[in-house]
Every structure is written in C-alpha cells, then in structure tokens.
Amino acid sequence: MNCVEFESVLPDYLEGGHTPEQQAHLTSCSACSNLLADLNSIVTEAPALQAIEDPSPRVWNAIEIQLRREGIIREPAIARPSRSGFFPRWRAAWLVPVAAALVIAAGIKLYHPSGAGDTAPVAKQTPAAPQVVAQAPRHKVSTEDQQVLNSVASRPPAQLASYQNDMESANAFIRDAEIQLKSDPSDIYAQQLLMNAYAQKQMLYELAVDRTGGEQ
Amino acid sequence: MGRRTVFRRSMFSGKCVAGTATVLALAGMALGATTRKDLHFKVGKHPMVSINNQYGPITVKAGAPHEVVVTAILHSDKVEVDQSQSGSRVDLASHLLPGSDQNSGIVEYQVQVPADANLTLHSGSGVIHAEKLHGDVSLEGANAGIEVVDCADGHVHARTLNGAISINNVHNGHLEITSMGGDIIMNSVSGPFVQAESNSGKIQYDGDFGAEGEYSFTSHTGNIEAVAPAYASIDVLARSNSGAVQSDFSLEPKHAPFLARSINSFSGTLNKAASSVKLFSFSGKIHLKKRQN
Amino acid sequence: MTDAKKLQQDKLTEAAAIERAKQGDAEAFEFLYGLHKRRVYSLCLRMTGNPASAEDLTQEAFLQLFRKIGTFRGESAFSTWLHRMSVNVVLMQLRKKSLPVVPIDETFDGDEESPKKEPGAPDIRLAGSIDRLQLQRAVDELPPGYRTIFVLHDVEGFEHNEIATMIGCSIGNSKSQLHKARIKLRELLRTTRAEKARSGRNAKRKPEQNEEPQSGIGEVV
C-alpha cells in the first residue's frame, strides 16, 4: 500500500475501519501518520467551535418587536405581578442582553484561549492573547450606561444621584480590576475581582429598572 | 430598620420624634388613610411565593404548612395589591396608581408561608425580612435593607445597591450576597457555599467557617473583617492590592505563587483546613481576627 | 448544587418556559432565546462567515421557531428542534444567494492533496493540540461549500445521512467533501504555522522529522 492508496481510504479509516494493510502502512510512513494525527486533532477540536459567540442585543429586540406585532406575545388580561420563577424580573427587556454581555465579556477576557498549551512554543510567544470580543467592553459600557441613566432620569433627584454614584463605583471597580488583570492575566485574585465587578454592574442594570417603580 | 421606622419616616420626612410620632401615626391610621387587606391562600407542597413591592417593608416568616397568610397595610388609596394564584404558586404585587409617590405608595407586607416555600421578594425601598425558612429565597431591592434570620438548607440570594444586609444564624445552604454600598454583616453563618461581594460596603463575618464550605468575601474598597475561633479549620487566602491585611492567627504556610509579588496578603491553613476561605479586596483593609471567649 | 442537579433544574425550567411561551408570555420567549442564542448564532456565523448575516439568520431562526411553538409536543428535545430549524434557515439563505452549498464533485482526487508534496516548506506537523482560535479562523477561510460540510458534520455533529437530506446531495458526496474540507483545513493551519515560524516569532524551529514520536491527539492505531 502506498500513500495515495492510503489517503483514498483515510475517510473510512477515521471512522474506525482499520485493516492490517492500512496499519502496516501507518507504522512505516510518518507522512501519513502525521496526516492522520492532524486530521484527528482537527476533528477533536471542531466541536469547541459550537457555541462561542453571542449575537448583539439588537437581535432579541427585533425578535420581540416582531413577535408582538404578530400577536405571538400576548399580554395577559390582568397586569402580571412579579415575574419570578425562572427569571429575575425587569421591565426594560433590552437591558438583559446588555447586562449579560458584560458578564460574558468578563468571562471571555478571563478565559480567552491561551494557545495550545505548554507543548507548542509558538503560542507562548504571543504577548497579548488574541481578543475574542470584537469591541472593547468599555466603549459598549458607556453607551449602554447612558441609556440606562436615561431610563431612570425621571426619578426624584436624590434617587438619580444615588444611581449615578453607584454607576461610577461599578465602573471604577471594573477599571481597577481590569488594570490588575492586565498585569497578570493568570492571577486568580484579579480574575475574581473582575468577575465580581461585572456582576455588580449587571446587578446595577437589573435593579435600575425597578427604580422606575410601578406601571404608571 | 423595622416596619415602624419606615412608617414614621414617611410621615415626618426623616425626623424621628418618638412619642409624638407614635400618636400622630395612630392618628394617621385613624384618619382612614391606610387600609388593611387580609389574604389567605391554600397551597400544596413546595409552594412558590413572590412579592413585588415598590415602597415598604416585607416580612416573611415560616408558618403553618399548606397555607400562605398575608396582611398588607396600604398607606393610601393610590396603591393596590394585585394577587394571583396558580396551583401552589402565589404572586402578589403592589400596583401604584397615578398620582402615588414614595409615601402614599407604601405597602407593608406581613406574610406567613410554609417553611419549605420558595420565595422571591422585591422591594424598592423598605426592609425585607425572611425568617425560619428552608426553601430557596431570593431577596432584592435597590435600597432595601435585607435581613435573613434562622434560615437553613436552601439557596439564599440577597441583592441590594445601598441597603444594609444582615444574615443571622443561617446554615447549611448556598448563600450569595451582593451589594454596592450597603454593608454586609454575617453572624453565625456557615454552609457549603457562602459568598459575599460588595463595592464600597464593608463585609463583616463572625462565625466558624464550618461545614467544609467555600467562603468567598470580595470587595472593591470596603473593608473586610472576619472573626473566627481558634478551632476554625480553614485554608485561607487573603489579598488586597492597596489595603492593609492582617491575620491574628499564625497560619501554616502554603505555597501560593502570586504572593511573591504583593506584601498585602497572607495565606495558609489552620487545623485541618476543611473549609476554603478567600478574602479579596482591591483597596479595602482585611483583618482575620481570632475570637476571644 | 451539583452540575447534574443544576442541569436537571435547567431542563425543568426550560419545560416551564415552553409552556408559558405557548400562552404568549414575553419573558418565557426571552428565556428560551437566552438559553439557545449562542449556539444558534455561532452556527450561523460559522456557516456564513459574516456577523451581520449571522444575526439576521439567528433572528429568522428564532422567529420561525417561536411561530410554531404551539405545535411543540416535547417528543424530541427543544434544542434539537431549534438546531435543525437553524440549519434549514441558513441553508435556504445560502441557496437564495446562489452560494455553493456543497460543490458537486463525485470523483475523489487522491493526487490533489498527496501528503508527499512538500514544496520547500519545512514539514511542520500540527504538533499537540490545535489552537481553537486558529481553527476558527481557518474555518472562516474555507471555501463556502467545504465550510458548510465541515461545520455541519464536525462542529455541529450531524450525520452524513442527515446532511445529505438537508443539503440534497448523496451520502458519498457528503463524505468526500468532508474529507476534502478537513485536508484543506490542515493546509490552512499548516500555512499559518509556517508563516509564524518564518516571521521569526518562534525562536527555535522544532525539526519535526521522522524520528519524532507520534503526538497527535486521538487514537492513531
């Protein structure tokens, strides 16, 4: 058996049919065994691509609008009280993906692929690991921050001031944690702080809606 | 911060004048401005109860099985209580009518539920108090104070922006507490998972770090203080970027690589190191104290 | 809570959400969207290579699903249903745009990608594990037909017979195109590695010659 023949049966080989002839060829031919190993690596790693990115918040917005237009979302006859059970309560639905995106951004920053591990010197050379998040979270945050602030703008001044204060505290925490993390991405202390900082920001978004208080 | 305080505050814009206040408060009630609503629901096993309140306290305690008993005190006719029941699920909500504000919109809830009920309680401002419960409890509010007393076994989630959180005698469950500026005080608290996070609020713990649990206290600028007995069995890691850290215990040293870089940290084990304890702050002080008895 | 218990709880919650969605509950829809959006979007993005299109397709997939939620009886997993619907939406889109779904090529050219052809470049094997990000980029560079097959089979886990039905080709075609896609991916990955080596980022070049022990992932023999 030569390489050409081997490669022609490679698909079946990968699915498990191994004849002695094929195995013999493999033992003697490093090119083909390299090829096999590489294809196995690709197949093994492929499922990791299944679920790694989230769509932007506008997708849910568009879906919700359309569902309402088509009457698939129907408001019940009585004003529904709290929306507990499987889902924390909030009235501005668009905040949900934004708040969640924050936590995801933190997660991505912490767990970005750090390369092929210790056996591949190539990966280790790159100083800053590639960012999976396309936009820097900071930019995203300030636009959304503004929208959230707008949604509480009609509140009594004391409440609004308190909320703005909390917003600054949350952002300050995120900034501090990010700086800490940058100096050592593998530092569990910094990672913990960043996750907490984002979780607080998320809580802030979620509780902000409650400040609009009441179905007026 | 009890029920009465809130009520008083609403009448006197923050001033607390004891004697006069009580008289005038009663007078207020006599004027017919408030109404009392009594509700009663029959429920099956593992009921779910949710209460959504904008202004005013919510107190929930364990009561008889199979029933949910509610007393709601409405401070004006500009607020209503909506109720709905579906099977063993009871939902209550304060419904503000046009023209209401943070005083006239107050509703005070006093509720008794079966001890195994799962609860979701929300108040914009007012104290949320949960007592003697064993189910999963979620308590939250932007400015609500939160009190959890004598609860066990369930998941307790408490979230507030600036209200104070106090957890007393809560064991054997999964506890997650988050606040921004509100202080978090834990007394006699233990369990498989205890997590407290704050931004500028301080975190105080007085307990034994028992139950082979995972304890994690994190803050941005708030100080963290934990008091534990000499027999505590812990594997502790404490670090602050710019706050002073201090341990009254002499810990068995443990290898922790990042310590080399920062002097504001300590780590090590005590006794059998059954529980793991992480005390992290960005710039707050951290103090692990030994209990004196 | 253990992972198993949490998973069970999540399933119960999804079932509850489906029931409420049938009643028109907005939150329930949103909850279901939240559970599955990542998987669906990633699938669309892998298949189209374009975030804007992927978002439009994600939207369309969920809309089609939610319109039919009244008919969901729970015979199969909700996620399976959604999965198939998403694939159909994407494939329909690709057809509309006359993009090649799968290149029709029954003959398998053994010569084309012979492993012996190494024109000058050092034989850098993909040693050890593959960087997921590099794989992602390589997949994005695949010609559309190969990409579809690779994503459906190796990433998303569909079988050849399912793919054949969805795309409208033969099982043999599906298998041979998949093989070509994988070979092409390997080439792309090796090119990336070779480029990196050449640009001097890698200080020492490991000579991956015959005497190196086998270190690819997975069973060789």
Side-chain angles (χ1 to χ4, degrees):
Chain A
M1 177 171 253
N2 65 23
C3 292
V4 172
E5 283 167 353
F6 181 78
E7 216 201 317
S8 72
V9 298
L10 191 45
D12 296 315
Y13 190 96
L14 282 166
E15 294 192 10
H18 308 158
T19 71
E21 238 195 309
Q22 292 160 0
Q23 287 173 201
H25 178 80
L26 267 183
T27 346
S28 63
C29 174
S30 76
C32 283
S33 59
N34 286 359
L35 172 61
L36 182 66
D38 289 347
L39 293 188
N40 268 321
S41 300
I42 290 172
V43 170
T44 307
E45 189 61 26
L49 301 183
Q50 256 177 30
I52 41 183
E53 285 122 337
D54 278 332
S56 70
R58 75 161 186 91
V59 175
W60 169 250
N61 294 343
I63 292 173
E64 187 183 359
I65 289 169
Q66 190 58 26
L67 291 177
R68 285 184 189 277
R69 252 192 226 136
E70 295 181 26
I72 296 171
I73 287 182
R74 302 182 284 279
E75 295 301 355
I78 33 151
R80 287 207 52 214
S82 98
R83 297 130 187 243
S84 52
F86 46 72
F87 214 40
R89 202 174 29 66
W90 40 55
R91 291 185 186 82
W94 60 267
L95 275 177
V96 177
V98 170
L102 286 180
V103 183
I104 288 162
I108 288 173
K109 278 190 125 157
L110 294 177
Y111 304 117
H112 59 249
S114 53
D118 296 324
T119 56
V122 180
K124 267 236 155 51
Q125 293 301 323
T126 51
Q131 292 262 1
V132 178
V133 177
Q135 305 154 299
R138 196 162 300 161
H139 170 72
K140 219 176 183 155
V141 153
S142 55
T143 322
E144 308 296 3
D145 279 2
Q146 197 48 56
Q147 285 179 290
V148 170
L149 285 174
N150 291 341
S151 80
V152 298
S154 58
R155 302 319 303 149
Q159 261 190 45
L160 180 58
S162 168
Y163 191 75
Q164 278 173 325
N165 204 26
D166 288 338
M167 182 78 89
E168 276 166 31
S169 301
N171 286 335
F173 194 8
I174 291 173
R175 275 196 302 273
D176 285 340
E178 281 180 350
I179 291 170
Q180 195 71 26
L181 192 62
K182 235 187 219 163
S183 63
D184 182 0
S186 64
D187 185 359
I188 56 163
Y189 162 75
Q191 288 175 4
Q192 177 81 53
L193 289 185
L194 186 63
M195 287 306 299
N196 289 143
Y198 273 113
Q200 283 178 10
K201 187 78 187 276
Q202 181 179 9
M203 172 176 77
L204 198 57
Y205 274 14
E206 289 171 12
L207 293 184
V209 195
D210 300 321
R211 286 172 174 260
T212 65
E215 288 95 7
Q216 284 163 280
Chain B
M1 212 166 113
R3 198 173 55 142
R4 296 245 167 257
T5 316
V6 172
F7 187 68
R8 230 181 266 139
R9 205 167 273 159
S10 75
M11 297 281 283
F12 295 99
S13 323
K15 296 201 182 102
C16 266
V17 184
T20 345
T22 322
V23 170
L24 285 177
L26 289 172
M29 287 175 87
L31 284 173
T34 65
T35 37
R36 174 181 162 138
K37 207 167 163 177
D38 286 294
L39 302 166
H40 186 273
F41 305 88
K42 275 210 151 352
V43 291
K45 270 208 226 144
H46 303 303
M48 257 232 61
V49 178
S50 80
I51 303 176
N52 185 3
N53 196 14
Q54 277 79 41
Y55 307 110
I58 304 175
T59 304
V60 180
K61 297 188 185 177
H66 304 308
E67 57 178 7
V68 173
V69 180
V70 181
T71 300
I73 308 221
L74 294 82
H75 280 217
S76 78
D77 54 5
K78 296 214 166 55
V79 63
E80 288 172 352
V81 169
D82 290 342
Q83 47 161 310
S84 80
Q85 175 172 18
S86 160
S88 286
R89 193 194 143 126
V90 175
D91 292 309
L92 301 165
S94 306
H95 179 177
L96 296 175
L97 299 170
S100 60
D101 62 20
Q102 74 252 37
N103 295 317
S104 56
I106 292 179
V107 178
E108 306 174 40
Y109 288 89
Q110 291 264 25
V111 184
Q112 286 185 315
V113 301
D116 65 345
N118 290 336
L119 296 172
T120 306
L121 308 177
H122 174 96
S123 175
S125 65
V127 176
I128 308 177
H129 180 103
E131 190 173 324
K132 293 198 169 54
L133 302 164
H134 292 261
D136 291 343
V137 178
S138 162
L139 313 151
E140 80 176 21
N143 279 312
I146 295 177
E147 295 168 355
V148 182
V149 180
D150 297 340
C151 293
D153 305 329
H155 275 232
V156 175
H157 286 237
R159 307 203 305 171
T160 176
L161 297 182
N162 294 299
I165 302 184
S166 128
I167 315 281
N168 241 290
N169 196 32
V170 170
H171 299 281
N172 203 33
H174 176 118
L175 194 54
E176 268 181 52
I177 308 161
T178 317
S179 104
M180 290 293 295
D183 293 339
I184 301 175
I185 318 274
M186 295 170 277
N187 274 312
S188 185
V189 169
S190 73
F193 186 84
V194 175
Q195 175 181 287
E197 306 169 5
S198 80
N199 191 296
S200 56
K202 71 170 185 247
I203 300 179
Q204 267 181 3
Y205 174 88
D206 192 325
D208 59 10
F209 286 117
E212 290 175 19
E214 231 182 273
Y215 296 80
S216 163
F217 304 158
T218 330
S219 76
H220 182 210
T221 60
N223 294 338
I224 302 177
E225 185 184 285
V227 180
Y231 59 79
S233 178
I234 56 177
D235 178 346
V236 60
L237 198 53
R239 181 162 157 197
S240 175
N241 195 41
S242 49
V245 315
Q246 182 187 348
S247 163
D248 292 354
F249 293 96
S250 47
L251 303 163
E252 283 302 305
K254 257 197 75 182
H255 175 60
F258 67 72
L259 287 185
R261 221 173 302 125
S262 158
I263 48 164
N264 294 23
S265 63
F266 61 79
S267 80
T269 65
L270 262 189
N271 298 308
K272 293 229 167 64
S275 294
S276 93
V277 175
K278 290 219 277 290
L279 310 172
F280 287 165
S281 177
F282 183 74
S283 59
K285 297 199 269 231
I286 302 178
H287 191 173
L288 178 62
K289 287 175 152 164
K290 196 186 295 193
R291 186 178 304 147
Q292 314 292 333
N293 15 353
Chain C
M1 206 188 272
T2 64
D3 278 352
K5 191 173 173 198
K6 183 160 196 308
L7 196 61
Q8 199 189 5
Q9 284 229 341
D10 285 347
K11 286 221 160 62
L12 290 174
T13 329
E14 184 185 73
I18 293 174
E19 284 314 303
R20 288 176 89 115
K22 288 184 185 181
Q23 311 301 324
D25 184 326
E27 257 193 358
F29 281 115
E30 194 175 349
F31 178 77
L32 293 170
Y33 170 77
L35 278 185
H36 299 288
K37 65 180 175 184
R38 184 178 291 191
R39 187 81 192 268
V40 173
Y41 177 70
S42 296
L43 166 65
C44 296
L45 188 57
R46 289 285 82 70
M47 302 256 279
T48 62
N50 174 339
S53 306
E55 286 198 348
D56 289 338
L57 290 172
T58 303
Q59 190 178 316
E60 188 54 34
F62 274 102
L63 277 174
Q64 286 192 15
L65 181 86
F66 286 157
R67 283 179 190 129
K68 295 202 176 84
I69 200 149
T71 63
F72 180 71
R73 299 266 174 268
E75 311 95 358
S76 64
F78 188 75
S79 54
T80 311
W81 198 39
L82 175 57
H83 202 203
R84 276 181 201 277
M85 198 161 292
S86 312
V87 172
N88 285 334
V89 165
V90 177
L91 291 178
M92 221 160 22
Q93 178 71 357
L94 292 178
R95 279 194 198 103
K96 251 196 248 180
K97 289 193 167 172
S98 316
L99 284 175
V101 176
V102 176
I104 307 299
D105 182 4
E106 293 290 352
T107 62
F108 177 64
D109 284 338
D111 290 334
E112 223 178 48
E113 315 283 351
S114 162
K116 271 206 173 147
K117 239 165 52 165
E118 311 290 3
D123 182 7
I124 298 176
R125 181 159 46 92
L126 302 172
S129 55
I130 292 182
D131 180 38
R132 187 187 74 175
L133 197 59
Q134 285 182 354
L135 180 61
Q136 192 180 308
R137 292 208 180 113
V139 171
D140 289 343
E141 280 178 62
L142 279 178
Y146 287 161
R147 189 166 63 214
T148 306
I149 281 282
F150 178 78
V151 170
L152 286 178
H153 187 276
D154 284 350
V155 178
E156 296 293 328
F158 287 103
E159 302 289 343
H160 284 295
N161 59 338
E162 294 173 303
I163 293 173
T165 315
M166 288 191 286
I167 289 182
C169 67
S170 71
I171 292 180
N173 196 14
S174 178
K175 286 186 176 174
S176 70
Q177 294 310 320
L178 174 64
H179 184 70
K180 284 185 163 180
R182 287 172 177 167
I183 298 282
K184 184 79 191 153
L185 268 178
R186 179 190 189 232
E187 204 181 277
L188 288 166
L189 286 165
R190 279 150 61 106
T191 312
T192 314
R193 295 266 172 124
E195 276 167 6
K196 279 196 170 157
R198 261 197 303 275
S199 70
R201 283 233 205 142
N202 187 3
K204 74 178 167 108
R205 289 222 230 119
K206 253 186 179 177
E208 304 279 353
Q209 295 308 326
N210 294 358
E211 60 270 13
E212 280 292 343
Q214 191 63 260
S215 69
I217 285 186
E219 290 286 292
V220 174
V221 178

